[in-house]
């Protein structure tokens, strides 16, 4: 953060500017979490319907706990915790910090109330502001990186707040619509499914991590060479309409299209269509954060597991791209240029709008929507890059310990906060996960 | 209800008086449900920690649904339901009414909110008032009995609200105290454990059910003769102090004291003491609705399963009474004369007081606390009395279909609303249930 | 056993005669266990398909362990166990003896082999013979009662061997037929369903238990008075044909006919007909120990749970009898006079015949088949009789600790060994048990 | 198989020679399966203790079903199945063939008996011999490849027979020893843990698959280039003694050493040491196929999950090799030169010897025991190589559909049949699997 490149200023002045910029980003990010949940009922924010999802108020508290634990308790000797129990209640999985409240019972936590959680947020925000402002350079060099990590961490939880509340409310037979609908837009036909060709050979994957580099998670590095076989990749994600073809053709009843574990999951959970789809009297609907809506065939298919993505690809004699192919193919596209979640309220209703995946028209021989829209499952199991070393201390638990039985997703979704993803960004979920905004883009060998 | 015995008045005038009395009781009971939950946080009222317990707001809505379904939709042709979905959401187990929302997921119901549930209550209360007032005699003869059943039904749920919220909040490591403590009182030593002797022979059990009789549940009848063997019964319930003796003597590690199913339950759940007890640094505490408090040895032991009650009785070479012995022995004691739950607020704090079991000094050769204090497990499995016939229609599902794998408890507890129980009252729970205010009183053969 | 009433002989001579008689019975019973399993494959005898059923070889070893533990190790100082591990492996549930191998994993016990189990049986039989022969009078007075209990215990396991192997083999899609079919017999139409009336009033239930009395289990006593309401009981059990009426009328889809726990069981297990029934192309078959056979409508319905028996009774506006009514009504019928299991081989094939329930023509105003045929579910939950005291020592665990969440069955079945049951005999199983030869007989109030 | 390179003979003569060779291999392999199970009791061969393991008799039948299904029913028009039910009973997971008997209940299959399974084997062997002998060239070209696959398939099941029976018998508290002990040998100290260095760069991975190539599974191809980072690999596997150091240092109580899923598995299953280890009075023992034996510190650690291997590597600041590093490093070592399972009987006892992992002295700067001894977990999740295409037809289900949530193991174990593995051989198991002979070898970046 304290980069020599822009230090024509004296160190102190530069540090002040850096603090200004980072704290502005901090407060902006923190504020988004508050605004995006402002239209939810208190009752909505308490419920946990399965181990994977957490209550909204837990997310709001946990992201706060992150700053309290890693900034305030590290750098402010005079700070006393807002509540002694919160270290235990809101630690997600950091064994280096201490024991954690049992994850499947986060929905049993009657207290703190939503109101108290907002008090906690304001309390920590004030202390973080003061602590950072008063910090000398030696601490600042360390704290700045953690503060930036905390901001990105909060952005990740903003997406989880959306996917989790969607999951929670979807259990309700009345299909509540907590958010206003997306802005009216022309639904356009999806482009033809064109293919882009790549020659293969050695390519650079990932990026340098560490001091003096722009922010990235440790799992995005080190930068290294990877050998690619010639391949083709589809110009856009698969749409709901195309996926309906798979459904209609008996894709969910054809074990030969599925991975063995995938078929077992399909049987155990009686999957017959993507998550959040409903068939009523022969018409297809999709539960969205603005209620139950007719399925839009032109939009990307969403809320599918890796297993369904993989079966779909087998059905059309294609495959999913590797994460390396994806990264190689998307190089040169602007990662902030997509349909990301933006918490600004609808000017007409004053309400926050729920996210919704879209698909754009692809220019000839170029990728449509590589960023935003839907997370794209890759066929790459989540693994460390060569020479990867996890960060020291508790933050080393952030990424590395999950490198097992998960698949990498790339590109970001309509529920990802604006500005959060990069070309090298590696999201990851178990192959049976369906509650994220996850879709697919096809690839094939030449 | 329209009883000839007090009909010196013309029929119409008598009906008006009956309506006045019953509606007054209706509103008083409905009001208690509101007041007793007024100090709970909204968050508290959403949570379900296991299938047995229901969220507070579910209880508040379900008791309302009862009147909407069995009074308004039966007797008011012009009534339209407050919300079409509520028939499904708040039907507990009445198959004759229709399908029911899946019980283990009541805690997933984000909506209606607590505020909306209170609207629903007020809406139904107003319509019940109007409906009853406008009712002609033919309907009134039917409706009065159902209205009275609904009032008693709501009282049962008032006790469940207390036991369920205690269960829910007990999962929280911070031991929240939603209610004010009980009034200060002198803790007195428990009386000696004296025994009262009874000769046996034929005795009358239960009571007449039906028109012209004061209210009772159908399971309390018919009145019939039962043959008793000579027996003795203890003058008071077993205390915490006495139960500590069982704990200290290894009662929880002695399989020979336990029923086979009881030992399996003790092993599966790792029971080592009554529910809601905590041992911290060698000191015993008990979680109460006014927080974690030192265990009072003089108070009746509470929150034990039938299995624990039975093991304790074996440990001291005694047994539990049958429900027939209990009813025979308690005849002559006033059933409204106990430590029942009373929703009146604490005059000093203005807050509702949480219930707490007590024990009184027993007069010589008489029972202390047969009513109120703790529900007393009997050794009688819950079964129909000879010639029992369940009520017609949906209300026939109220009692009869549960006559399997449950044991009868008698006497009422400190969480039972004042005026709710009778000598013939038969409460019932499965033998592993511990979240009720359940204790024990010993018996033995001579 | 050493009863003064037949002691015109000198004590020693009487004891020798008693020993002769009891040992003859011992060897005859032990021999039946061997013969009845002789046609099974070794593979059949290893398998356990659920916690309730045990492998054949486990039964053969456990009944042997009973005599080794309670006779040889008690009365023969010089005896060393056949194998030190067997105390642990073949103890069923006697906590007073010591810990037990985990019941759900009895099917994981590769060793001892079937051959070794038979060695164990012969070893114990020889030592029991010698031990009893050499025993002096003081020991004999104690040992005789235990030996007799052990014989009855082995008879109970003979029935379990049959029901368990039927359950195990029923999981096989090839429907193996380990036993020869029953003797050819004329299938006769079932009698009309006549009713026998009883006046009610006090009746004697159970019997005296203890020294000088013929053998009975402790749960059959004490003899006591019970008050009966006037009732009627059906002259014969319900037949397969009658039960098909219930199936055809949607009985399995009518929750209002079922107990609450029963409906839950029916839903969880997807019951749509009695256990061991199969519908193939619209024809009904029943799996029997002599293979898959067309359902015989005239035979008693069998392999139903208490829940199904109760639902059936509700369907025809009747009920199940109490065990007291059953005992009262069956007094005067010969308990050895039924269709019991007899291990004698088929004279034509030389093979043991598999048991099969039958129904006889009832004489006017008398019960058909109260004993043998099928176990008849009663509505009585299994509970101690007044003043019941379990036996001292480990054998006190035989009956008393199971008095919870079980229902009493009366009368014995076609799989019960000849000579095993009595008027006062109380069999008991949980209400969801279906793998026994259990059926029903209706009762009703007048 | 019908390779141009050795076809100086006329086609027919060459085909006869090829048939001779392949059938000889067929019969030799089939015979080993019989001999290796000859000392097991019938009872041992029936039991399944968890879904992963199958009964011995199921393996013996399934490998036979493979030849019946893919050779006889494909190439012999006149063949009728030995038993119509076997297609269903012994199909493991080939959805293209048809439905499969429910895997977790293979241990419920009483029939066919072990004796009948051996009849089935002989029947199929005779028909395979005849069928192959009578086959014309067109069929032979297809059948030869399938026959060879079937032989390798049977070898895989030979290893599973050993690991499964070890798992089954390990549940027995008497620690049965079905096989004779390994030959007496000098236990030698393990070599120092030296490291071999490799430079990295592009390397060839895998091999050509298909006609004219020596046998390999489809998952070993295609041959392709992979980019390696410079690395070091340990000269030998980790020993029991070294792993004891991890145990003693609290490795099983240090969540920071474990993957997140690994720590969950360790908690759920209460792992505190490798599978099949036992600590008795402070001494360590290991259950082996020749009984419970003192742990030999010099032997490779075995029966550990990927999670344990990974945690161990973290504990010593190293890591597991990728499968590419492993393949690169092991090139040049003879893959038949290891401690493989050999079914020849012990000359002294005439009994088959149970396998046991060993470690050899490593020559300087070379790998000890890359083949045989223990399967070595790699950090590579099991994934398709670039351009991988599964085989057509049912055999396409052999490998590809398992490429999810499994990790690759390399090198073969002491339970792998002699001649079965190759440099390119990819074994795979889920990361929590412990019942295989699986150990680890360390790697690190330079």
């Amino acid at each position: 953060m304290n980069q020599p490149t822009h230090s024509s200023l004296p160190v102190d002045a530069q540090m002040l500017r850096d603090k200004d910029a980072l704290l502005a980003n901090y407060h902006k990010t923190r504020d988004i979490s508050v605004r995006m949940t402002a239209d939810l009922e208190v009752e909505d924010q308490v419920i946990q319907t399965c181990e994977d999802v957490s209550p909204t108020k837990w997310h709001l508290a946990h992201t706060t706990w992150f700053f309290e634990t890693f900034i305030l308790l590290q750098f402010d000797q005079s700070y006393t915790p807002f509540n002694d129990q919160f270290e235990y209640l809101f630690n997600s999985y950091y064994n280096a910090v201490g024991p954690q409240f049992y994850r499947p019972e986060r929905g049993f936590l009657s207290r703190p109330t939503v109101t108290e959680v907002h008090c906690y947020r304001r309390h920590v925000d004030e202390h973080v502001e003061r602590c950072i402002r008063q910090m000398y350079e030696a601490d600042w060099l360390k704290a700045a990186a953690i503060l930036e990590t905390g901001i990105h961490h909060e952005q990740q939880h903003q997406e989880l707040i959306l996917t989790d509340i969607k999951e929670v409310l979807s259990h309700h037979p009345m299909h509540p619509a907590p958010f206003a609908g997306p802005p009216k837009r022309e639904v356009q036909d999806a482009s033809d499914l064109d293919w882009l060709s790549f020659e293969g050979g050695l390519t650079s994957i990932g990026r340098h991590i560490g001091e003096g580099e722009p922010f990235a998670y440790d799992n995005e590095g080190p930068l290294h060479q990877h050998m690619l076989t010639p391949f083709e990749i589809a110009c856009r994600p698969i749409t709901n309409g195309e996926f309906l073809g798979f459904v209609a053709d008996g894709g969910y009843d054809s074990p030969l299209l599925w991975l063995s574990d995938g078929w077992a999951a399909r049987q155990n959970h009686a999957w017959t269509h993507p998550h959040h789809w409903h068939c009523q009297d022969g018409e297809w609907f999709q539960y969205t954060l603005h209620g139950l809506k007719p399925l839009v065939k032109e939009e990307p298919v969403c809320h599918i597991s890796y297993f369904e993505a993989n079966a779909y690809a087998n059905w059309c004699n294609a495959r999913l791209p590797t994460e390396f192919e994806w990264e190689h193919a998307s190089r040169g596209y602007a990662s902030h240029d997509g349909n990301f979640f933006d918490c600004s309220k609808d000017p007409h209703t004053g309400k926050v709008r729920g996210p919704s995946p879209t698909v754009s028209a692809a220019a000839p021989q170029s990728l449509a929507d590589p960023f935003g829209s839907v997370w794209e499952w890759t066929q790459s199991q989540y693994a460390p890059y060569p020479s990867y070393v996890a960060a020291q201390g508790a933050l080393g638990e952030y990424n590395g310990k999950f490198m097992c039985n998960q698949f990498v997703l790339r590109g970001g979704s309509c529920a990802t906060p604006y500005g959060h993803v990069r070309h090298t960004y590696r999201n990851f979920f178990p192959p049976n996960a369906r509650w994220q905004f996850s879709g697919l883009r096809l690839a094939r060998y030449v």
Side-chain angles (χ1 to χ4, degrees), chain A:
Chain A
M1 291 299 93
N2 181 31
Q3 299 167 25
T5 48
H6 53 162
S7 62
S8 57
L9 288 169
V11 169
D12 283 3
Q14 181 60 44
M15 184 172 76
L16 287 179
R17 275 199 193 185
D18 288 347
K19 284 183 176 180
D20 281 348
L22 200 51
L23 281 171
N25 196 9
Y26 172 84
H27 290 299
K28 181 180 144 213
T29 305
R30 297 281 291 164
D31 182 54
I32 288 174
S33 302
V34 173
R35 281 194 292 136
M36 68 189 288
T37 59
D39 294 334
L40 296 174
E41 300 288 351
V42 166
E43 288 84 349
D44 300 340
Q45 303 185 48
V46 179
I47 295 170
Q48 177 179 42
T49 53
C50 65
E51 181 168 353
D52 280 337
V53 313
S54 295
T56 308
K57 76 182 174 92
W58 189 91
H59 286 296
L60 292 174
H62 164 69
T63 48
T64 306
W65 167 92
F66 190 99
F67 293 110
E68 186 179 55
T69 302
F70 297 119
I71 297 286
L72 297 180
L73 291 169
Q74 297 301 316
F75 297 101
D76 180 349
Q77 302 305 324
S78 67
Y79 183 77
T80 51
F82 181 77
N83 182 315
D84 284 341
Q85 294 272 357
F86 287 7
E87 176 185 310
Y88 171 62
L89 294 181
F90 299 120
N91 180 358
S92 51
Y93 54 65
Y94 296 87
N95 293 306
V97 172
Q100 301 114 43
F101 185 79
Y102 184 50
R103 179 173 180 152
E105 299 190 354
R106 286 177 186 167
F108 294 179
L109 285 175
S110 44
R111 319 289 176 90
T113 63
V114 171
T115 299
E116 287 162 350
V117 167
H118 285 288
C119 283
Y120 178 41
R121 290 183 68 89
R122 286 192 297 271
H123 176 90
V124 165
D125 287 350
E126 287 163 19
H127 282 79
V128 164
E129 169 80 26
R130 190 176 320 145
C131 171
I132 294 292
R133 289 292 179 206
Q134 295 173 349
M135 198 173 268
Y136 292 113
E137 194 183 3
D139 274 359
W140 167 244
L141 288 176
K142 289 185 233 151
I146 297 172
L147 194 64
E148 191 159 25
T149 298
I151 290 167
H152 289 264
H153 171 259
E154 180 133 4
Q155 286 184 314
Q156 289 183 295
H157 280 275
Q158 286 166 358
E159 180 153 3
L160 291 174
I161 284 172
L162 292 172
T163 55
D164 289 5
I165 198 68
K166 185 171 182 178
E167 182 64 28
V168 164
L169 295 178
S170 76
H171 279 78
H172 201 294
M174 292 161 80
H175 303 297
F179 293 121
K184 188 91 184 160
R185 64 178 175 243
E186 297 292 305
V187 173
Q188 52 196 353
D189 284 357
S191 323
D192 288 345
L193 194 68
D194 286 332
W195 298 85
L196 282 69
S197 295
F198 293 88
E199 282 190 5
L202 285 172
T203 188
S204 290
I205 294 293
R207 44 182 297 175
H208 289 301
I209 304 295
E211 244 178 284
E213 298 289 338
F215 178 81
Y217 288 116
D218 62 3
N219 66 4
E220 298 172 55
L223 178 67
H224 66 286
Q225 294 292 99
H226 183 89
M227 186 70 188
L228 288 175
T229 299
F231 70 97
E232 294 186 334
I233 195 164
C235 70
R236 58 162 175 76
I238 292 301
T239 63
N240 286 325
E242 287 163 331
F243 205 87
L244 269 174
F246 173 76
V247 172
D249 192 41
Y252 280 91
D253 296 312
S254 304
L256 296 180
L257 296 174
W258 295 68
L259 286 163
S260 181
D261 285 359
W263 185 248
R266 177 257 170 271
Q267 298 286 83
N268 289 343
H269 302 296
W271 292 341
T272 56
H273 51 68
H275 193 44
H276 293 314
W277 283 26
H278 297 262
C279 192
Q280 295 179 352
D281 303 326
E283 295 285 306
W284 285 100
F285 294 82
Q286 188 167 24
Y287 176 64
T288 74
L289 281 168
H290 33 101
L292 193 69
K293 299 292 175 189
L295 190 71
V296 179
K297 293 191 182 172
E298 295 77 9
E299 288 181 356
V301 67
C302 192
H303 295 299
I304 57 172
S305 63
Y306 176 80
F307 295 131
E308 287 158 295
N310 179 277
Y312 181 89
N314 285 337
W315 177 70
C316 45
N317 290 311
R319 61 178 177 86
L320 302 178
T322 67
E323 63 166 322
F324 313 110
E325 291 168 341
W326 198 99
E327 185 169 329
H328 183 71
S330 71
R331 206 167 283 141
Y333 295 83
S335 67
H336 56 269
D337 203 18
N339 175 34
F340 293 104
F341 179 66
D342 177 347
C343 190
S344 58
K345 300 197 171 199
D346 187 299
H348 302 294
T349 64
K351 298 191 75 178
V352 172
R353 288 192 296 259
S356 186
T358 57
V359 69
S360 319
Q365 284 303 302
S366 71
L367 297 180
D369 298 296
F371 298 100
S373 198
V374 289
W375 285 104
E376 301 180 12
W377 284 108
T378 73
Q379 70 164 247
S380 298
Q381 301 187 56
Y382 180 45
Y385 287 164
S387 301
Y388 167 76
V389 182
Q392 288 300 303
L395 288 177
E397 298 183 61
Y398 202 105
N399 276 307
K401 74 180 180 182
F402 300 107
M403 290 177 173
C404 171
N405 292 4
Q406 315 233 20
F407 284 78
V408 174
L409 302 103
R410 292 292 193 120
S413 82
C414 58
T416 308
Y418 177 83
H420 183 64
V421 292
R422 288 167 296 281
H423 292 89
T424 57
Y425 195 98
R426 308 173 78 199
N427 198 359
F428 52 89
F429 278 96
N432 62 346
R434 305 172 96 207
W435 89 109
Q436 298 299 306
F437 287 82
S438 49
L440 84 151
R441 181 187 299 267
L442 296 176
R444 62 187 183 195
Y445 292 111
V446 185

